[in-house]
Amino acid sequence: NNAWTGTLPTELGLLTALVTLNATNSTLIGTIPTGLGRLTALTFLDVSMNRLTGTLPTEFGNMWVLSSLNISRNALTGTLPTQLSRLKNLTEFMFHGNILTGSGNAALCVDANSVLQHSWQILQGDCLSDENGDVEIECSCCTVCCEFNGSMCITLDLQG
C-alpha cells in the first residue's frame, strides 16, 4: 500500500538473505524477475494487487523455504509451473484474479503417486466454473475457488 511505481528491480534477486518481500497494492508493472528465484531464504512473498504481466517464473521452484506466496489480482498469464511442486514448505498460495489457464494439479495437488503434496492452509485460484461449466484453471485441491475475474470466491470443504 505504498504507491510504488515502475517494475520490480532485477537486483532484488541479489538480496539472497531476504526473508520477506511485500510489494502489495501498488502500481508495479512489467514481469516478475526470474532472479527472484535466487531468494532461497525468502519465506513470504506478496506482489498481489499490482499490474504485473507475463508468466510466473519457473525459478520460483528454487525458493525452498517459501511458505506464503501471493500473486493474486495482477494480469499474469500462462500456466502454473510444475516446479512449484518442489516447495514443500508452501502452505499459502493465492493466485486468483489473473489470466492463468490449464491445470495446477501437477504443481499443487498430487505427486507422481497421486498423493497430496501439501497440507494447504490457503490455496486460492480461479477454479469456479462459469455458466458453461468452464474453469480458468483446474485445481482439485484448492481450498478457495474464485470466478474468472477473482471477485466472488467460495471456500471449499475438501474434508468431506
Side-chain angles (χ1 to χ4, degrees), residues 113-126:
N113 298 316
S114 297
V115 176
L116 279 177
Q117 288 183 312
H118 297 287
S119 177
W120 292 107
Q121 292 176 8
I122 301 171
L123 182 58
Q124 187 167 347
D126 293 330

Side-chain angles (χ1 to χ4, degrees), residues 27-132:
T27 53
L28 295 172
I29 59 171
T31 60
I32 299 173
T34 59
L36 291 186
R38 291 193 299 264
L39 301 179
T40 56
L42 201 66
T43 61
F44 179 91
L45 175 58
D46 190 340
V47 293
S48 65
M49 297 186 285
N50 282 288
R51 297 178 189 152
L52 298 172
T53 57
T55 60
L56 188 61
T58 58
E59 290 82 359
F60 273 28
N62 298 329
M63 296 190 290
W64 305 105
V65 297
L66 192 66
S67 63
S68 182
L69 174 59
N70 191 345
I71 60 168
S72 65
R73 296 185 180 171
N74 280 289
L76 298 171
T77 56
T79 59
L80 293 173
T82 57
Q83 290 84 350
L84 293 177
S85 66
R86 298 182 202 157
L87 304 180
K88 303 301 181 189
N89 292 316
L90 192 64
T91 59
E92 298 178 353
F93 181 30
M94 289 71 67
F95 58 95
H96 63 287
N98 283 290
I99 314 165
L100 298 168
T101 58
S103 176
N105 290 340
L108 306 172
C109 298
V110 295
D111 66 12
N113 298 316
S114 297
V115 176
L116 279 177
Q117 288 183 312
H118 297 287
S119 177
W120 292 107
Q121 292 176 8
I122 301 171
L123 182 58
Q124 187 167 347
D126 293 330
C127 49
L128 274 184
S129 58
D130 64 13
E131 62 275 354
N132 298 323

Side-chain angles (χ1 to χ4, degrees), residues 6-37:
T7 61
L8 283 169
T10 57
E11 293 83 4
L12 285 173
L14 301 174
L15 304 174
T16 55
L18 190 66
V19 175
T20 298
L21 177 56
N22 188 346
T24 188
N25 200 18
S26 293
T27 53
L28 295 172
I29 59 171
T31 60
I32 299 173
T34 59
L36 291 186

